[in-house]
Amino acid sequence: MDLRAPLPPQHLKTNGVFDMSTSRRSEHERTTRHLLSRMFISSQLMELGSEARFTGLVLFHRYVRHFYGLVEEQRKKRKIDKTELEFTDELKQIRQHLGQVAAACSFLGCKMSEEPRRIRDVINLSSVLGFSDWDESMDINRVYHWSEAIEVHESVSPPPLDEKYWTTKEEIVSTEQLVLRMLQFDALVCHPHRCVLIVMETLGFGTGPKKNDQNDVDGNKCIDGTKEITFLTPEQSDQVIMDAWRILNEASLDATGGALMYPVIVLACAAIAVAADGITFHPSRPGEGDGRKPQVSLPQDWWRALDVRTDEIEAAMISLRKIVES
């Protein structure tokens, strides 16, 4: 299993993304998050598996980093300060272009994960969910927080099967080739969702209580002369896996892509650790206080059994908690 980071180092060295002004970065990240959210919804409607959905989202992340880097490089070379109107027109053009890229990445993600869908389904959903629509309510003078809620409005019906549809189909196919060229045909994506399952199985989490013949801290032993070590019950294990997957889904929707820079094994272990700490996504139920589940017991620094460094895990956990708890 390939354990590279979903966003490999070559996709993190585009200086233009980090050099842009705060307001420009805010607008670009907001556009990116709008499209990631729409891609996620469309993948749910197409009933895609987690790997196909994650692949499409990561490919879009990779393209966006290259694209914004090129945009900023061109702006600096021309040394032109755009007026508010010109900046708005530029954002509209960027949104329209990235809307097509998002549709193309969804389509490409399906093919890369061997879950093919008809291109007509992708086009219909990208139209219904407004991939390329401009948000007229957006204020370019305000700095948006990356965790602000996003509203997705659906159209009443998909586009008619007319000449415009066939033109759009040709554009999606052409954009798919553009994406591949921009990424230098590196469309391989490693999947932390699968790695979560491998880690849980490899370390035996979810197999219930285990025993050894060591004394406990008081020098006492169990009735049969062994000491009981509590791992996770199968039910707890299933819940941790589901919560870890939800955490990874949230990480893929983060416009900055910060959590996706960690190797898959680190990202999977961090997601498991955060899930085991009691992070939950469902509303509180009677008797559960603020909605956080009781912490489950895992061995201290259990990830060392997988040769994963503690400092990497801690950094990845901080990144994931920031996304989940926002």
Side-chain angles (χ1 to χ4, degrees), residues 232-250:
L232 306 182
T233 66
E235 293 76 15
Q236 288 176 322
S237 175
D238 290 342
Q239 188 61 58
V240 167
I241 290 173
M242 295 303 297
D243 279 357
W245 282 358
R246 293 187 182 101
I247 292 168
L248 293 172
N249 290 341
E250 290 290 324

Side-chain angles (χ1 to χ4, degrees), residues 71-86:
V71 168
E72 290 304 307
E73 286 177 7
Q74 290 297 321
R75 184 182 65 83
K76 290 177 180 179
K77 286 180 180 179
R78 296 175 183 175
K79 296 181 179 179
I80 298 176
D81 293 328
K82 296 181 180 294
T83 65
E84 181 175 319
L85 180 60
E86 290 173 331

